Amino acid sequence: NAGVMQNPRHLVRRRGQEARLRCSPMKGHSHVYWYRQLPEEGLKFMVYLQKENIIDESGMPKERFSAEFPKEGPSILRIQQVVRGDSAAYFCASSPPRTGVNGELFFGEGSRLTVL
Amino acid sequence: AQKITQTQPGMFVQEKEAVTLDCTYDTSDPSYGLFWYKQPSSGEMIFLIYQGSYDQQNATEGRYSLNFQKARKSANLVISASQLGDSAMYFCAMRVTDSGGSNYKLTFGKGTLLTVNP
């Protein structure tokens, strides 16, 4: 399967714990995007990364959330000290460089975080 | 700011009939792309169809077609010959090139839950 791979698919955490979500983009894609889907809502942009660079994190909450895309390995979305409101589906998408307005984003299957 | 509105929280259709899912959008940017995604109960986001703002013809992909009315800023999805497997959430989304030249963000609507009845 050469698609966008996310893991874990489901993650349960207690309040105050840390959540780490991983995303491996499609082969040949160097751009990664994270979106969050709250219950009953559409997806909302969080952050856009290229290898070793955060390009746009305007959709990320100012505290507790961070993202990275290292030179080697998957992109990681990290949520520290989780709260119940962080319960959501987190989707990763990837694209090749120079994606125009008609460029399709390829989404992973999402990681569903439940905070108890 | 860009905005996508999907006014139908839920829709029902009989198997083998056609159904139209509404989507209106708001942007002042002349160059934009409109997308439809399907999200079945398993949760993944599946790309269905794309329409560019400068495209002269309505997009079609198999049983999916996009009824693009630029003056009315609408981009409705038409599914012909509905199948039971079409039951899912459907999201309309838009991408524009912002003032900084960036064009990577998708703005999503809240979705429409389609149920296909046998």
Side-chain angles (χ1 to χ4, degrees):
Chain A
N1 186 345
V4 178
M5 303 301 292
Q6 288 189 250
N7 69 83
R9 292 291 312 277
H10 300 275
L11 182 64
V12 179
R13 286 287 179 265
R14 297 191 180 279
R15 281 178 295 169
Q17 292 183 318
E18 178 179 286
R20 283 191 181 223
L21 310 176
R22 287 174 289 278
C23 169
S24 297
M26 284 182 69
K27 189 174 181 181
H29 288 189
S30 56
H31 297 204
V32 165
Y33 316 79
W34 285 93
Y35 283 77
R36 178 165 67 171
Q37 184 180 28
L38 294 170
E40 317 271 317
E41 297 280 331
L43 279 66
K44 291 208 166 36
F45 170 81
M46 297 181 75
V47 62
Y48 164 37
L49 309 106
Q50 296 175 18
K51 286 282 188 182
E52 299 184 283
N53 277 310
I54 298 174
I55 308 301
D56 181 352
E57 55 182 349
S58 59
M60 290 270 275
K62 293 286 185 283
E63 297 176 350
R64 302 187 297 107
F65 284 71
S66 62
E68 63 176 9
F69 190 14
K71 188 176 179 181
E72 301 290 338
S75 174
I76 295 175
L77 179 67
R78 182 182 178 206
I79 311 171
Q80 295 178 288
Q81 299 175 321
V82 296
V83 300
R84 289 219 174 103
D86 297 333
S87 295
Y90 293 84
F91 285 90
C92 174
S94 72
S95 71
R98 293 179 293 281
T99 294
V101 290
N102 62 338
E104 179 188 341
L105 283 187
F106 295 83
F107 282 90
E109 294 184 322
S111 291
R112 276 144 191 85
L113 172 66
T114 301
V115 179
L116 301 177
Chain B
Q2 293 76 42
K3 186 176 180 182
I4 293 281
T5 302
Q6 293 181 254
T7 57
Q8 306 154 315
M11 287 284 286
F12 293 88
V13 66
Q14 288 297 122
E15 196 177 5
K16 299 180 186 177
E17 293 185 349
V19 63
T20 298
L21 307 183
D22 294 342
C23 172
T24 58
Y25 59 92
D26 188 20
T27 181
S28 56
D29 198 301
S31 175
Y32 51 89
L34 295 157
F35 301 76
W36 277 91
Y37 284 86
K38 173 184 178 182
Q39 187 177 43
S41 57
S42 51
E44 69 267 35
M45 294 290 288
I46 302 168
F47 167 75
L48 295 178
I49 196 166
Y50 164 81
Q51 179 84 43
S53 58
Y54 294 119
D55 292 344
Q56 296 296 316
Q57 293 191 325
N58 287 344
T60 60
E61 289 285 348
R63 294 186 298 110
Y64 304 109
S65 60
L66 201 151
N67 184 0
F68 181 44
Q69 299 189 37
K70 196 169 182 177
R72 299 174 69 176
K73 294 191 173 180
S74 74
N76 299 339
L77 177 70
V78 181
I79 305 175
S80 62
S82 298
Q83 302 171 356
L84 295 178
D86 293 334
S87 293
M89 280 291 285
Y90 288 81
F91 291 97
C92 180
M94 175 172 63
R95 176 192 275 149
V96 301
T97 301
D98 66 22
S99 57
S102 303
N103 55 20
Y104 45 82
K105 290 181 189 174
L106 279 174
T107 299
F108 283 82
K110 291 194 173 185
T112 295
L113 179 62
L114 176 66
T115 303
V116 180
N117 294 318

